Amino acid sequence: MLRPLRPLLVLLFVVYATLALPSLQAAPPDPSADMLLHARPGYEGAFRVGAWLPILVDVENLGSDRQIEIRVGAREGAQYVVALDLPYQSRKTATIYAYMNANARRLVVRLFAEGQEVTNETLELVAAGPRARIIGLVSGPGAALRAPARLPDGTSLLSVQLAPADLPDHALGYSGLDALVLEDVVTTELSAKQLMALNGWVLRGGHLLLSGGHELPRMLAGLPSTLQPVAVPAVGRWPALELLDATARPDDVPLAHLEPLADGAGRSAYALPLAGLTFSDPLAIEQRFGQGSVTALSLPLGHPALAGWEGVPMLWANLLHPAAELPPGFAPDSMSSASFIENNLSATLTTLPALEFPPMGMLIGLVTTYILLVGPGTYFVLRRFDRQHLGWIVVPALTLLFASISYAWGYSQRGGDVLINQVILIEPSDSGLARVRSFVGLFSPVQYAYQVQLHDQADPQSMPVVRPASVHGPWELSGINAGGFYLQDGSTTAQARDFNVAQWAMRALASDTTLELGPIVARVQRQGTQFVGTIHNGTDITLRDVAFIQGEQIARLGDVAPGITLTGTLQPPRGDPNQFFGPHIPLGYLLFDDVIDMQNPQLGPTLSPDIQQRMRIVEALYNYGPSTRSQQPLLIAWADRAPLQVSADVGRSNTQQLALITLQPRLDLG
């Protein structure tokens, strides 16, 4: 009955298949069609080698809910990652911090959704010259802040204009700047993270300049107390021709009256002399905070009266601090002194924790058994069976057997452990905040891609970021440009994912964060012809082997428990160390001369591994290369525990931690 309709049915099937097949073979929807990405580098793309550069990324989702990752890095090497939840029809902004090396002139920003790369964008960057200074300028809507292109000594100034909203929310985001200038900025509108980052950057050695005028009181009010060097009771006006000289425009310049304030340790801010400016009151007042400083200026740097003034380059030269530079030819031109010191500290990670030596009786027994079997045992057994010609087979077989037994025994005695060495440098301040730099070396007996975490449970405000570091040793097979994913999730945990370590090799990580440690108040006071050091431990940790150093004199105070105050008189070292070192005694010998003289008077390599490692760390800071130890007093101590804890997905591991605390005490000459 259906036979007459069969040709028609076949024709209909062919037509349907022709129309339906293309739609069945069509590719799934392209996620890039509903994901938009826009990235721009901070500081107008200017960066310094050995510093962090903020990358601002805007991402928009026009499609379904997605979990995305934004990865920033070169085509090869380390990738810095932020993970986000991006709901339907939402838009988010993320700041990713990328550590810049000499080859990082082009960064690729990649957007991944569900493990697949959706889209990417390439950023072209500009490396600052080795002698150039990068100055960040942040001004309000009514200011016209600018800096000269060059200082009187020929130093180039690379000025970058920044919006207040673009200021980083992590202190390391400022690390590429030599100075940051604020003028007419409503600091109360900055986020808490931005203010904390600004505070942490100055603590690390940053220089914050607060340009004056009518808006200086309001600008100071929104800053943390540690960044307020002055109070401003009034703002007046003064003729520019009298304040400056005849080359200035005939305008009245607003002048803020500056009253210096004291910091947490009672040290008052000090006046900063400005060449070419004559006025009865100080026009610039500065206060130290940690390793950095804050300078408040009475007049606004963006005022029109200064636009054509011939003394502007000299004014900026007086305000800016001289850069700490390495001697010419000592290191690559692109390397800063801070990077040089951190490289020295990373190199100390190659002093690995020692494994327990096997029992001597077991070793003697194993060797004796091997000798007896290979020698007389093999001879008598083969002679008994008249098979002496098999000796060339039996002896290698026994050797291979005992080698396998020795290797298996050694491996079972923790020879297959992953070795983790952590060196921590803690630099506290009078405010209780401390800069904590942590260097972690991971030595692996097998090739493996590890997942490493650095986390701090004590301070919920800390936000560590992690990067690869170089140990410059024979075990580093992959180098600093090796890959890995370094997650920045904005919490108290930093993570390195797919941290690949070759067999019998070491790779290292570095982290830099700010933690609430508690105050360590120290001062050195001159009493007659002697210097006396006093320390008060306001932290919750015991300070071990505390020592004051002033020039080539030292006072050892031993351990200082929390809440305890100790005092000691500085004395020259015993004996005559100049016979070994000449006029400048290394800091390592000053600290451990008693141990050295007792264990090894000839300075040979028989010191305990702990003492050797401590000496390597302090010498990496103060003796290797251009010495940074001056005649200013120094406090050295050691901590029982590390503020940042390290964990990795390893089976058995052997861990060594050593935390150095160093600060510059207040010097009271009476």
Side-chain angles (χ1 to χ4, degrees):
M1 178 177 171
L2 296 176
R3 185 174 300 174
L5 299 178
R6 186 176 299 171
L8 180 60
L9 293 175
V10 172
L11 179 61
L12 291 174
F13 176 77
V14 172
V15 173
Y16 174 78
T18 303
L19 296 176
L21 186 59
S23 62
L24 294 175
Q25 293 180 342
D30 184 6
S32 64
D34 51 28
M35 299 287 291
L36 302 179
L37 172 70
H38 175 65
R40 55 189 176 93
Y43 309 135
E44 301 175 358
F47 73 93
R48 189 178 300 284
V49 175
W52 293 83
L53 179 68
I55 307 296
L56 289 80
V57 181
D58 293 322
V59 61
E60 186 173 0
N61 181 19
L62 304 177
S64 58
D65 297 352
R66 295 184 184 277
Q67 290 183 337
I68 66 169
E69 276 191 356
I70 305 172
R71 303 177 185 176
V72 176
R75 287 291 179 185
E76 297 180 355
Q79 301 289 315
Y80 300 96
V81 182
V82 166
L84 297 174
D85 288 328
L86 205 61
Y88 168 64
Q89 288 191 345
S90 63
R91 179 176 181 177
K92 290 187 177 181
T93 300
T95 301
I96 305 174
Y97 300 95
Y99 187 77
M100 309 302 292
N101 55 43
N103 301 321
R105 298 177 183 270
R106 180 182 290 111
L107 294 180
V108 182
V109 182
R110 298 180 175 93
L111 175 61
F112 283 77
E114 296 155 0
Q116 300 293 325
E117 183 172 351
V118 175
T119 184
N120 64 73
E121 187 173 341
T122 301
L123 303 177
E124 301 289 342
L125 308 176
V126 178
R131 305 301 176 187
R133 313 278 293 278
I134 303 179
I135 310 298
L137 305 177
V138 187
S139 55
L145 188 58
R146 53 187 176 273
R150 197 172 297 274
L151 297 180
D153 63 356
T155 301
S156 298
L157 295 186
L158 180 57
S159 301
V160 292
Q161 298 287 341
L162 305 174
D166 292 339
L167 290 177
D169 60 1
H170 196 287
L172 295 181
Y174 295 94
S175 59
L177 297 180
D178 292 280
L180 181 69
V181 186
L182 303 184
E183 181 174 310
D184 194 14
V185 176
V186 184
T187 53
T188 54
E189 296 180 357
L190 298 178
S191 68
K193 285 187 175 181
Q194 287 177 310
L195 293 174
M196 187 169 60
L198 193 61
N199 197 65
W201 170 65
V202 176
L203 176 74
R204 286 168 166 80
H207 184 196
L208 178 63
L209 279 165
L210 304 175
S211 184
H214 293 292
E215 302 301 327
L216 182 59
R218 186 177 63 164
M219 193 162 57
L220 285 167
L223 294 174
S225 59
T226 52
L227 303 183
Q228 298 183 23
V230 298
V232 181
V235 179
R237 302 189 69 85
W238 199 261
L241 295 178
E242 296 182 18
L243 179 66
L244 309 174
D245 57 32
T247 62
R249 294 176 54 176
D251 296 329
D252 288 341
V253 180
L255 293 181
H257 178 64
L258 307 179
E259 291 185 353
L261 299 177
D263 63 4
R267 292 174 292 200
S268 179
Y270 50 89
L272 195 67
L274 301 178
L277 294 176
T278 56
F279 197 69
S280 57
D281 294 335
L283 296 176
I285 291 181
E286 189 170 88
Q287 178 65 280
R288 299 287 299 178
F289 173 52
Q291 301 295 320
S293 59
V294 184
T295 304
L297 190 62
S298 180
L299 71 160
L301 289 172
H303 194 273
L306 276 68
W309 183 43
E310 294 178 353
V312 166
M314 182 57 69
L315 173 62
W316 281 83
N318 294 154
L319 292 173
L320 297 177
H321 294 165
E325 297 179 349
L326 295 172
F330 188 84
D333 289 340
S334 59
M335 179 175 289
S336 65
S337 59
S339 297
F340 185 86
I341 292 174
E342 290 183 352
N343 286 345
N344 286 342
L345 286 172
S346 298
T348 65
L349 295 172
T350 56
T351 306
L352 295 173
L355 298 177
E356 183 179 355
F357 196 77
M360 187 58 65
M362 183 71 73
L363 287 177
I364 295 175
L366 185 64
V367 173
T368 303
T369 303
Y370 171 73
I371 293 174
L372 291 176
L373 287 178
V374 170
T378 300
Y379 173 77
F380 287 116
V381 170
L382 294 181
R383 182 181 177 184
R384 172 71 179 80
F385 292 99
D386 195 21
R387 295 289 190 272
Q388 291 91 334
H389 62 282
L390 296 179
W392 66 276
I393 297 177
V394 174
V395 172
L398 287 174
T399 302
L400 182 61
L401 175 63
F402 271 82
S404 301
I405 293 174
S406 300
Y407 179 83
W409 179 39
Y411 193 87
S412 66
Q413 295 294 314
R414 309 187 72 86
D417 286 7
V418 173
L419 305 181
I420 300 176
N421 193 6
Q422 186 178 10
V423 172
I424 306 100
L425 177 61
I426 304 174
E427 299 169 287
S429 68
D430 297 325
S431 67
L433 287 176
R435 180 187 185 185
V436 179
R437 282 181 279 183
S438 183
F439 304 88
V440 181
L442 194 150
F443 182 83
S444 176
V446 296
Q447 181 172 346
Y448 189 72
Y450 293 92
Q451 316 299 321
V452 186
Q453 289 187 337
L454 278 76
H455 51 90
D456 173 65
Q457 301 296 334
D459 189 355
Q461 293 184 331
S462 65
M463 188 174 65
V465 295
V466 67
R467 63 171 175 88
S470 177
V471 297
H472 301 287
W475 293 327
E476 184 181 51
L477 303 181
S478 51
I480 194 172
N481 291 322
F485 301 94
Y486 304 90
L487 276 67
Q488 303 170 5
D489 61 2
S491 68
T492 59
T493 299
Q495 180 181 357
R497 193 176 67 198
D498 295 341
F499 189 67
N500 197 3
V501 185
Q503 186 177 24
W504 306 121
M506 171 179 277
R507 285 193 64 191
L509 295 168
S511 176
D512 190 338
T513 188
T514 304
L515 300 179
E516 185 67 43
L517 184 68
I520 298 177
V521 181
R523 71 171 183 170
V524 172
Q525 186 177 22
R526 186 175 65 180
Q527 297 181 0
T529 59
Q530 292 183 320
F531 287 93
V532 177
T534 303
I535 179 175
H536 173 74
N537 182 8
T539 72
D540 60 351
I541 61 176
T542 298
L543 306 180
R544 304 291 185 186
D545 300 327
V546 177
F548 282 96
I549 299 97
Q550 167 76 29
E552 295 181 353
Q553 299 184 59
I554 186 170
R556 298 183 183 87
L557 276 64
D559 297 344
V560 181
I564 299 299
T565 301
L566 288 182
T567 300
T569 302
L570 281 76
Q571 302 287 347
R574 295 183 294 272
D576 184 19
N578 293 328
Q579 62 178 320
F580 300 112
F581 307 111
H584 300 292
I585 304 174
L587 182 58
Y589 182 85
L590 278 177
L591 290 172
F592 304 107
D593 65 334
D594 53 343
V595 179
I596 293 174
D597 294 341
M598 180 178 61
Q599 294 187 7
N600 190 5
Q602 301 304 318
L603 303 179
T606 60
L607 295 173
S608 66
D610 178 67
I611 296 299
Q612 291 186 45
Q613 178 68 339
R614 294 188 183 206
M615 291 181 66
R616 288 192 67 190
I617 292 173
V618 296
E619 288 168 1
L621 280 172
Y622 299 107
N623 290 98
Y624 294 156
S627 176
T628 58
R629 184 166 71 95
S630 63
Q631 293 300 313
Q632 293 294 320
L634 182 68
L635 175 72
I636 294 290
W638 306 87
D640 281 339
R641 56 182 173 85
L644 285 174
Q645 300 299 317
V646 179
S647 61
D649 59 333
V650 298
R652 297 189 314 181
S653 64
N654 195 316
T655 302
Q656 172 180 283
Q657 289 184 345
L658 196 55
L660 169 65
I661 299 175
T662 176
L663 61 88
Q664 198 171 78
R666 176 181 177 181
L667 180 60
D668 185 0
L669 297 178

